[in-house]
Amino acid sequence: MADNGSKPTANDVPLPQPVTKPRPQSNPVFMGLPRFRARLPSRNWSIFLSITGSFTSALLYDRYQKKQVQRKWCKLVSHISQESLPVNQLPRKITVFLSAPPGDGLRSAREYFQEYVKPVLVAAAMDWDVVEGRKEGQVRAELGERIRKIRERNGELPQTQNLEEDPEDLVEKARRGLNVRPWDGLQGDLVIGRHTWKEYIRGLHEGWLGPLDPPPEPPLTHSDLSPITETQPLDDIPKADPTNLITDQPFPEAHITEIPTEAPSPLPSSSESPPSTESPPPPPAEPEKKKPPSPVPPFILPSQYPTSTLAPTIPCSLPPSTALPLPHILGFLNTPIRIKRFLTRRYLADEVGRDVAALVLAAQTRPYTSDTSFASSIDPDSPSSGTTLEGEGLGGVVESGKTYEQQSLLAYEEKEWHKSVYKTPAPVKDSEGKEIPVPPKERPWLEPIILDERVASKMSTFQLAPGDESLAKEIAKGKYDEVDPRSWAQKGKDTLWRVGVFMDFVEGGKEGRGRFADQGLIGGEDE
């Protein structure tokens, strides 16, 4: 012990007490929530936040720029919606052609139209008619049928008359009776996608070069015939001997069974009509109508274009057309390309908006260009290379071919089509394993575009006038924005005045309503 003169031990030394810091007072608003300290995030959080923040920023910037671009083209054509029309004249109508992209459904094409094309058409109060195709060849068949109806209305008569009257003809007769005039200006066709453009070209040639009557149906194949059931072969049936047909033997007696008869019922009196026990005859069965194939087989093939006769009622120039790109790529390995396009939709909106605005304004059109290629018919290795054939040009140069602008429009889209488009259908086989001859299926998406000069020379397209292009740039800079001339103070005063008027109207009762009626703000009590 320390009292006896011994040294103090470690147990006798008092331990230092821990100093408790006063706990900071927390905001009662965040009561019950943990306190977050301001510190730098960890490595993993930094990577996650940087990636998500960059992607979100790029997406928001692209959507903002896309909205500004669409606003520019919508404002460029918005003055058309303010123009008035006579009460007896139909508005301008545009025909939109779209079909399901290769390897996908029709929904993606519809969403493309609603997102990029429809805003510009709505801003100009434009009317449109949509021709949709779910399968390959439906757009071609629908366009060809429409052109054939136009030819019939213009005086051409088919060999087989259709007794059923078209509903569109009834509508046209009613409009003529009411003196309603159609639109006398340019209409215009809007084609979306390379695959739809190919069918559009086929439909134009089929309508103006093909016959009005449908082609003859192909002969029935083995698969169309009903199967024959197996029966007993004729060789197994015993043949009758002609010498034994007449014999002296008597016929065997037939066993006749007597049918019990009931007592005859008394005849009804003349005043009572006999009840009719006969059931009414069944109505005659209607013959089943065979549904036409979808799509309808083509009336003319591309190989028959040079030998066909052009319709005499074809106009001097066909309605101008505009082909819009439809970027659509599928596949897991193409994910980087799809992400890039998802973040750069503003460029697509600008390109589509320019073409649609040029179609809506219809201020300037131009014919499609064509390029003629030449070749020499002189063989340099021939001893008579210095001579030329009669009828040939200088130096034996002859025309080798002609290419049209319509053939190369949107040709880059074919590289992105799904591989299922290029698959050939499997041969059809019967029960014995033999191949059944089937007529070849129409494949307008895979076949090259073939044009006839008589039809191709009448086609044209829309283009934006130089003045409209400069005006669109000024709109993008905000030169024609509608600016509110009021100052921020005046806006605040107007807002407070509206709030005060509303509160006075609610709390004032009958006296307040009467005072507002005297000022002309609301109707009187009699109203």
Side-chain angles (χ1 to χ4, degrees):
M1 295 296 291
D3 297 340
N4 298 333
S6 60
K7 295 182 179 180
T9 61
N11 296 330
D12 297 335
V13 178
L15 298 176
Q17 297 295 331
V19 179
T20 58
K21 295 181 179 181
R23 187 173 183 179
Q25 295 181 0
S26 60
N27 193 339
V29 177
F30 302 102
M31 185 178 297
L33 297 178
R35 291 182 291 109
F36 296 98
R37 293 182 299 172
R39 61 186 180 87
L40 293 176
S42 63
R43 171 180 171 272
N44 295 339
W45 273 105
S46 299
I47 295 175
F48 172 76
L49 293 177
S50 60
I51 293 176
T52 55
S54 301
F55 186 86
T56 305
S57 302
L59 179 62
L60 295 177
Y61 175 78
D62 178 71
R63 294 303 178 266
Y64 173 77
Q65 293 295 332
K66 172 191 169 186
K67 187 180 297 183
Q68 295 297 321
V69 165
Q70 289 185 335
R71 173 180 168 274
K72 173 183 67 175
W73 297 116
C74 291
K75 196 163 187 178
L76 181 64
V77 302
S78 60
H79 67 278
I80 299 179
S81 61
Q82 307 298 330
E83 298 177 357
S84 59
L85 283 175
V87 294
N88 61 338
Q89 185 177 4
L90 295 176
R92 182 188 176 194
K93 179 179 286 188
I94 294 173
T95 307
V96 181
F97 297 88
L98 61 90
S99 59
D104 205 345
L106 190 60
R107 180 178 179 180
S108 57
R110 288 177 176 174
E111 292 178 351
Y112 174 89
F113 170 77
Q114 295 178 358
E115 185 175 359
Y116 297 100
V117 182
K118 186 178 178 180
V120 184
L121 298 179
V122 171
M126 195 67 57
D127 191 10
W128 67 85
D129 185 16
V130 181
V131 177
E132 295 181 346
R134 298 179 179 273
K135 298 180 181 179
E136 184 178 3
Q138 287 186 346
V139 173
R140 183 268 314 158
E142 178 65 23
L143 179 57
E145 184 64 24
R146 291 191 176 197
I147 296 176
R148 284 189 289 270
K149 290 182 180 179
I150 294 175
R151 292 171 57 183
E152 293 179 5
R153 292 171 189 165
N154 293 339
E156 296 188 42
L157 299 177
Q159 295 181 0
T160 58
Q161 295 290 339
N162 189 8
L163 301 179
E164 297 181 359
E165 194 168 4
D166 192 2
E168 296 182 3
D169 296 339
L170 299 177
V171 175
E172 289 294 332
K173 290 180 181 179
R175 287 174 178 171
R176 293 195 197 102
L178 298 174
N179 196 19
V180 177
R181 298 175 300 170
W183 179 263
D184 54 356
L186 294 176
Q187 298 283 2
D189 297 336
L190 197 62
V191 187
I192 300 177
R194 169 75 174 182
H195 59 294
T196 314
W197 177 252
K198 282 189 167 184
E199 295 190 34
Y200 176 79
I201 297 295
R202 282 280 189 94
L204 282 180
H205 286 74
E206 178 181 336
W208 295 114
L209 295 178
L212 295 177
D213 300 309
E217 297 182 359
L220 296 178
T221 58
H222 179 71
S223 59
D224 298 333
L225 301 177
S226 58
I228 302 175
T229 57
E230 296 183 359
T231 57
Q232 184 182 5
L234 298 178
D235 297 338
D236 298 342
I237 300 176
K239 298 181 180 180
D241 190 0
T243 58
N244 297 333
L245 292 179
I246 302 174
T247 59
D248 297 338
Q249 298 178 359
F251 290 100
E253 296 181 357
H255 298 279
I256 302 174
T257 57
E258 295 183 357
I259 301 175
T261 58
E262 297 179 357
S265 59
L267 295 176
S269 60
S270 58
S271 61
E272 298 179 0
S273 59
S276 59
T277 58
E278 297 181 357
S279 60
E286 296 182 359
E288 297 182 359
K289 295 183 179 180
K290 187 178 180 181
K291 295 183 179 180
S294 178
V296 180
F299 284 37
I300 185 174
L301 298 177
S303 58
Q304 302 173 352
Y305 291 166
T307 58
S308 60
T309 304
L310 188 66
T313 57
I314 186 172
C316 299
S317 61
L318 298 176
S321 56
T322 298
L324 299 180
L326 180 60
H328 188 78
I329 188 170
L330 301 175
F332 177 76
L333 299 179
N334 296 321
T335 302
I337 300 177
R338 301 177 67 179
I339 293 177
K340 178 184 176 182
R341 292 180 178 178
F342 180 73
L343 297 177
T344 56
R345 289 186 175 181
R346 57 186 181 273
Y347 302 115
L348 180 62
D350 191 16
E351 182 182 359
V352 174
R354 176 182 288 102
D355 294 339
V356 178
L359 181 141
V360 171
L361 294 173
Q364 190 173 353
T365 59
R366 65 168 180 85
Y368 286 103
T369 59
S370 59
D371 185 15
T372 305
S373 58
F374 298 90
S376 176
S377 62
I378 300 176
D379 187 5
D381 299 332
S382 176
S384 59
S385 59
T387 61
T388 60
L389 298 177
E390 185 179 357
E392 295 181 351
L394 182 62
V397 177
V398 295
E399 182 178 343
S400 61
K402 198 170 186 178
T403 57
Y404 298 91
E405 182 184 357
Q406 298 93 310
Q407 295 174 332
S408 59
L409 282 178
L410 309 177
Y412 57 86
E413 292 186 3
E414 296 189 15
K415 300 178 182 178
E416 300 177 353
W417 288 355
H418 197 260
K419 60 183 180 181
S420 61
V421 182
Y422 300 95
K423 290 183 179 180
T424 57
V428 181
K429 298 182 179 180
D430 55 5
S431 58
E432 299 179 357
K434 298 180 181 180
E435 293 187 6
I436 301 175
V438 178
K441 186 180 179 181
E442 181 191 15
R443 303 300 301 273
W445 293 354
L446 301 183
E447 299 175 2
I449 297 179
I450 300 176
L451 291 100
D452 189 90
E453 186 177 3
R454 296 169 292 179
V455 178
S457 60
K458 298 179 181 295
M459 298 179 63
S460 59
T461 183
F462 294 98
Q463 68 177 7
L464 205 62
D468 297 331
E469 185 74 31
S470 59
L471 182 59
K473 293 180 180 179
E474 294 178 358
I475 293 175
K477 295 178 181 178
K479 185 176 180 180
Y480 294 94
D481 289 347
E482 297 179 359
V483 181
D484 194 350
R486 300 177 301 169
S487 61
W488 65 271
Q490 184 65 28
K491 294 178 183 178
K493 290 180 181 179
D494 295 344
T495 304
L496 292 176
W497 181 83
R498 293 190 185 94
V499 173
V501 167
F502 176 76
M503 296 302 297
D504 197 0
F505 177 80
V506 173
E507 298 176 358
K510 187 175 180 180
E511 298 178 357
R513 294 185 181 89
R515 181 160 50 87
F516 289 123
D518 296 339
Q519 297 177 2
L521 298 178
I522 62 174
E525 296 181 359
D526 297 338
E527 298 180 0

